[in-house]
């Protein structure tokens, strides 16, 4: 492209860009309920519990997004290039709506088949995610000037977590200690129908002309693989997601299966996590400006070690945490605080990954750089959650064990493992671009 030729976004007036930004907000608000429900809310896990699913199957359902995104991210980027963002988004919406309605229909398939129906629905939903993500970057590139991206992304994430957080909190209050099955079933079905709004709002946005092209994966990957700093950062990111991706869904299963908390309380505690995400997205810009990227990464890494370690240590084994406070054991408030901090750290780290990925992208290779890094994100997520589900399902861990007069459950054993992986990842920090901005590489094999 001629350097003097204007891009599509530069041809739009301020009023047009503002209108298209509002349509983009609308698209994210319509789809955010399904995304948050599948990733951060206890709705799906509680629904599977009511259907008689095992803890390993519940954790497996949360790992599928990582597995399929890992496999499909490059294909999804090629799909967007080949058929255009709008057609790709329409395809993603169809998968998303079908998946939620299929999951909601699980009780009608009989208790023996319900778990497998839910897992099939999760697979369909996870297929939609990389297709949406790849197309969404194209949409943002066509409606946002560089100076508008930060404020847009910050408010978008803050707003949809606020909306979903309040909604799921009220649902948790309505569920009570023993929720009837129709409440989570109705919520899941409603999120699927609401996803249609994504396609509607995206259809109102005027995108630039993107000529249909083939997808040359070898050439595109070559550019990314030769970027040593990108590879180093991506490996670090994969290790961090391996350490922490299982922690939050595992904590929900731990509260429900081992601590025997009621459905409503578990849902409310997971909503506290959504509040933590809201705070993380809201404060990220300020923290990044005040602390700088280097200190912010150190702080986030510390959270990724301290939170699973605290979950491993704080449980029924500490009598002081069983003291009633406003009709609930003190442990409930401790778990609420850890859940809030955990989601706060995840929000910060997600923003760090996005900002550093853009900083590491070579000109003209932003989409492939994002796909390359997101593949590593999903490798870590899939390996962490799928690995934990296999360990739980295989029964290789003792249900309880005692050390130093304290009794620990198999769930707390896995929390110890997550903390250990986070500690191991400390060895990768010297390779991060923010830690050593100016590098002098040397390689002379002959």
């Amino acid at each position: 492209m001629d350097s003097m030729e204007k891009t599509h976004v530069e041809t739009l007036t301020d009023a047009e860009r503002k209108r298209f930004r509002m349509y983009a907000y609308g698209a994210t608000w319509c789809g955010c309920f399904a995304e948050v429900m599948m990733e951060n809310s206890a709705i799906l896990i509680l629904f599977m519990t009511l259907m008689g699913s095992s803890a390993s199957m519940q954790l497996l359902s949360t790992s599928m997004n990582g597995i399929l995104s890992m496999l499909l991210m490059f294909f999804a980027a090629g799909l967007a290039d080949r058929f255009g963002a709008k057609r790709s988004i329409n395809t993603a919406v169809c998968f998303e709506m079908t998946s939620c309605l299929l999951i909601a229909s699980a009780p009608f398939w009989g208790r023996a088949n319900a778990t497998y129906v839910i897992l099939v629905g999760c697979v369909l939903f996870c297929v939609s995610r990389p297709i949406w993500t790849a197309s969404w970057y194209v949409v943002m590139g066509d409606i946002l000037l560089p100076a508008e991206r930060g404020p847009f992304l910050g408010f978008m994430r803050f707003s949809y977590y606020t909306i979903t957080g309040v909604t799921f909190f009220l649902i948790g209050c309505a569920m009570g200690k023993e929720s009837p099955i129709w409440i989570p079933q109705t919520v899941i079905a409603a999120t699927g129908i609401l996803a249609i709004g994504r396609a509607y709002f995206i259809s109102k946005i005027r995108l630039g002309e993107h000529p249909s092209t083939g997808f040359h994966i070898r050439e595109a990957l070559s550019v990314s693989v030769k970027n040593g700093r990108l590879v180093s950062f991506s490996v670090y990111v994969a290790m961090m997601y391996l350490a922490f991706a299982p922690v939050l869904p595992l904590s929900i299963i731990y509260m429900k299966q081992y601590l025997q908390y009621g459905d409503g309380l578990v849902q409310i505690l997971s909503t506290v996590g959504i509040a933590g995400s809201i705070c993380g997205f809201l404060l990220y810009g300020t923290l990044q400006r005040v602390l700088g990227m280097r200190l912010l990464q150190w702080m986030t890494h510390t959270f990724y070690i301290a939170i699973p370690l605290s979950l491993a240590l704080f449980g029924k084994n500490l009598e002081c945490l069983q003291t009633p406070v406003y009709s609930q054991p003190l442990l409930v408030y401790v778990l609420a605080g850890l859940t809030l901090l955990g989601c706060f750290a995840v929000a910060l780290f997600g923003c760090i990954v996005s900002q550093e990925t853009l900083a590491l992208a070579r000109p003209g290779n932003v989409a492939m750089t994002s796909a390359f890094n997101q593949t590593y994100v999903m490798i870590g997520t899939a390996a962490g959650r799928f690995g934990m589900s296999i360990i739980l399902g295989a029964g290789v861990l003792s249900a309880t064990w005692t050390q130093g007069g304290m009794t620990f459950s198999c769930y707390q054993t896995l929390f110890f493992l997550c903390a250990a992986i986070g500690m191991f990842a400390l060895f990768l920090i010297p390779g991060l671009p923010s830690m050593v901005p100016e590098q002098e590489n040397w390689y002379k094999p002959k």
Side-chain angles (χ1 to χ4, degrees), residues 328-352:
Q328 295 289 352
L330 180 60
L331 178 60
V332 171
Y333 301 96
V334 172
L335 291 175
L338 291 174
T339 302
L340 186 143
L341 284 176
C343 290
F344 176 79
V346 169
L348 290 181
F349 192 67
C351 292
I352 288 171

Side-chain angles (χ1 to χ4, degrees), residues 257-278:
Q257 302 283 5
Y258 183 69
L259 298 179
Q260 298 291 305
Y261 290 165
D263 295 344
L265 179 58
V266 173
Q267 173 57 31
I268 289 172
L269 287 173
S270 73
T271 305
V272 170
I274 296 176
S277 298
I278 293 171

Side-chain angles (χ1 to χ4, degrees), residues 175-398:
M175 291 175 75
K177 184 173 178 59
E178 296 293 336
S179 169
I181 197 168
W182 66 265
I183 294 182
Q185 184 183 25
T186 302
V187 171
I188 293 169
T191 59
I193 296 172
L194 190 60
I196 299 173
R198 267 189 167 172
Y200 169 76
F201 283 111
I202 293 296
S203 70
K204 307 284 284 183
I205 297 175
R206 187 174 78 250
L207 301 180
E209 292 293 330
H210 292 275
S212 178
T213 62
F215 188 59
H216 307 291
I217 187 169
R218 181 178 299 178
E219 292 83 351
L221 271 176
S222 176
V223 175
S224 296
V225 170
K226 291 177 181 177
N227 187 341
R229 290 191 173 193
L230 173 63
V231 174
S232 298
F233 180 70
S234 298
V235 171
Y236 171 78
V237 166
M239 188 63 68
M240 292 296 284
Y241 274 93
L242 174 66
F244 207 75
V247 171
L248 296 176
L250 187 62
S251 67
I252 294 174
I253 298 172
Y254 168 64
M255 289 185 280
K256 179 61 182 174
Q257 302 283 5
Y258 183 69
L259 298 179
Q260 298 291 305
Y261 290 165
D263 295 344
L265 179 58
V266 173
Q267 173 57 31
I268 289 172
L269 287 173
S270 73
T271 305
V272 170
I274 296 176
S277 298
I278 293 171
C279 294
F281 291 132
L282 185 63
L283 296 176
Y284 172 75
T286 301
L287 290 174
Q288 198 277 327
R289 185 173 60 254
V290 173
L291 300 178
M293 183 59 72
R294 182 184 302 178
L295 287 179
L296 189 57
Q297 285 186 319
W298 272 112
M299 184 182 79
T300 307
H301 198 128
T302 302
F303 278 137
Y304 271 33
I305 296 172
I307 291 168
L309 189 60
S310 299
L311 286 168
L313 294 173
F314 300 155
K316 290 182 178 180
N317 47 11
L318 294 178
E319 290 295 329
C320 61
L321 296 180
Q322 307 308 316
T323 305
V325 178
Y326 296 109
S327 76
Q328 295 289 352
L330 180 60
L331 178 60
V332 171
Y333 301 96
V334 172
L335 291 175
L338 291 174
T339 302
L340 186 143
L341 284 176
C343 290
F344 176 79
V346 169
L348 290 181
F349 192 67
C351 292
I352 288 171
V353 171
S354 296
Q355 184 167 337
E356 289 291 86
T357 300
L358 291 173
L360 289 164
R362 294 183 184 277
N365 198 45
V366 175
M368 182 51 60
T369 299
S370 299
F372 182 86
N373 186 258
Q374 281 297 309
T375 299
Y376 275 83
V377 169
M378 295 308 170
I379 288 173
T381 301
R385 292 182 176 177
F386 185 72
M388 296 299 175
S389 71
I390 292 297
I391 293 173
L392 277 179
V396 297
L397 299 177
S398 174

Side-chain angles (χ1 to χ4, degrees), residues 383-442:
R385 292 182 176 177
F386 185 72
M388 296 299 175
S389 71
I390 292 297
I391 293 173
L392 277 179
V396 297
L397 299 177
S398 174
T400 58
W401 53 281
T402 303
Q403 181 66 38
M406 296 192 298
T407 300
F408 300 92
S409 68
C410 59
Y411 302 104
Q412 289 164 287
T413 304
L414 294 177
F415 289 136
F416 276 123
L417 178 59
C418 291
I421 296 171
M423 292 178 186
F424 178 79
L426 288 170
F427 290 105
L428 300 176
I429 281 185
L432 297 181
S434 63
M435 300 298 167
V436 188
E438 300 295 332
Q439 296 187 7
E440 295 182 5
N441 298 313
W442 176 259

